Amino acid sequence: MKVIISGYGKMGHMIEGVLLKRGITLVEASEDICSVPEEVAKECVCIDFTTPEAFKANYKTIADNFKAAVIGTTGWEDISTDVISYFYMKGTPMIYSSNFSLGVNAVFVAVEKLSECLRTYGYIPHIEETHHAHKLDAPSGTAKTLAAIVQDKLGVKPDITSLRLGEVPGTHVVKFKSDVDKIKISHEAFSREGFAEGAVLAAEMTEGLKGVHSFKEMIIK
């Protein structure tokens, strides 16, 4: 497998380290994915951790030219139908997630099942997320994904509390409260390495894959 990283920030550097550790070929880490020659791109999986604006501008180029794509960028929910349709039309497999941590995706599954179980019993949900002080978006993409799962399966839209403190890599807590008890599901990341490990695993999963899939779908197959 050959990989090109789109976006060479903190996550891009972390992914580079995981690729090197696993002996996977990193062809390039690019700040301008559109400049990659087509003949090079067609042999590579693109792992994209950029900005919403950059991904919105570049997704057609990625779908047109690359062998497959792993999208860790968030903030393109408003055009998700267009993006997914375009990747299907081009026949380019894509795996996407608001968070590529295996643990977080297991939490997605657990929250989905618990929300279904509690749907008719009057539980009130609430989500708390804490990240480092440098994180620009609030709530986090992961918190938004959790909220969407809860709203869909429980039928109640949860409030989200966002905190930005120090160098916290990421902590998410989902609470369900009734008059008699409270249930909590939480995930605490110790570093960004778990996100990078998951993104590289997703890249490996694109081999022979067809269509567009969330990372959650892939790990529960």
Side-chain angles (χ1 to χ4, degrees), residues 126-131 137-140 143 160-165:
H126 184 262
I127 295 170
E128 294 178 359
E129 60 98 352
T130 305
H131 283 85
D137 60 322
S140 66
I160 302 174
T161 300
S162 298
L163 298 174
R164 298 291 175 262
L165 301 171

Side-chain angles (χ1 to χ4, degrees), residues 88-125:
Y88 268 113
M89 181 182 72
K90 301 302 294 189
T92 305
M94 180 178 85
I95 299 175
Y96 66 93
S97 183
S98 59
N99 190 315
F100 274 98
S101 160
L102 279 172
V104 164
N105 280 270
V107 167
F108 288 161
V109 176
V111 168
E112 184 175 285
K113 298 300 182 184
L114 184 56
S115 296
E116 288 177 341
C117 178
L118 300 177
R119 186 176 181 91
T120 60
Y121 297 104
Y123 279 81
I124 304 300

Side-chain angles (χ1 to χ4, degrees), residues 12-77:
H13 282 81
M14 189 71 71
I15 290 166
E16 179 182 22
V18 173
L19 292 171
L20 291 173
K21 184 172 65 176
R22 294 195 184 182
I24 297 171
T25 301
L26 174 61
V27 175
E28 183 179 350
S30 177
E31 293 288 0
D32 180 14
I33 203 67
C34 296
S35 68
V36 177
E38 291 182 24
E39 62 272 18
V40 176
K42 69 180 181 181
E43 297 181 351
C44 298
V45 178
C46 175
I47 300 180
D48 185 280
F49 277 84
T50 54
T51 64
E53 295 74 24
F55 178 70
K56 289 176 181 180
N58 297 337
Y59 78 86
K60 289 186 177 179
T61 298
I62 295 171
D64 288 343
N65 297 337
F66 281 83
K67 179 181 178 181
V70 172
I71 309 301
T73 303
T74 60
W76 49 276
E77 294 85 359

